[in-house]
Amino acid sequence: MRENAFVFNALQYNKKIGCSEQERTIIHKCYSKEKELNVLLSYWCMLYLIDKDKSYIGKILEHLNNEDYHIRCNVINLLADVEDDYVKETAKTEYCTRLMKEDCLAVRSLPEEKLEEM
């Protein structure tokens, strides 16, 4: 979980003051070695904010259907914290679709909360 905290701190850092080319290179290098899915989700979110490459959001949203409900919760929480119109609209659509088939209460309550916040 320390790695996840590093990625989150880097994400907050990027939101506030931007990211230099050297920092971007380091982030991409660390990302390429990562294997833990929860950390990868955070990296994809950060890389979207840095590069504005929409494919990262697609990678994150694919995991709304992950078997592990912890992963599904992480996806919802990550995207809800991103202040970006494209992400908000895309996430809203996917959340609504997910709500129709979600049977886990922990996951089901999250999109409802997040939709109200958006």
Side-chain angles (χ1 to χ4, degrees), residues 13-75:
Y13 173 79
N14 181 56
K15 277 175 145 177
K16 290 178 184 166
I17 60 173
C19 195
S20 73
E21 203 53 46
Q22 183 180 12
E23 291 164 329
R24 178 177 280 142
T25 302
I26 291 168
I27 291 166
H28 278 278
K29 188 174 182 179
C30 292
Y31 157 71
S32 67
K33 295 178 182 179
E34 187 54 58
K35 304 252 187 287
E36 178 63 39
L37 182 54
N38 271 317
V39 179
L40 282 170
L41 290 167
S42 295
Y43 269 115
W44 292 331
C45 190
M46 180 174 49
L47 289 168
Y48 169 75
L49 291 171
I50 291 170
D51 299 335
K52 293 297 182 196
D53 180 347
K54 294 176 181 177
S55 69
Y56 291 119
I57 299 304
K59 287 181 180 191
I60 294 170
L61 288 171
E62 285 175 18
H63 292 283
L64 264 179
N65 296 312
N66 194 291
E67 289 179 11
D68 184 346
Y69 81 92
H70 296 98
I71 299 293
R72 296 193 308 269
C73 286
N74 193 13
V75 167

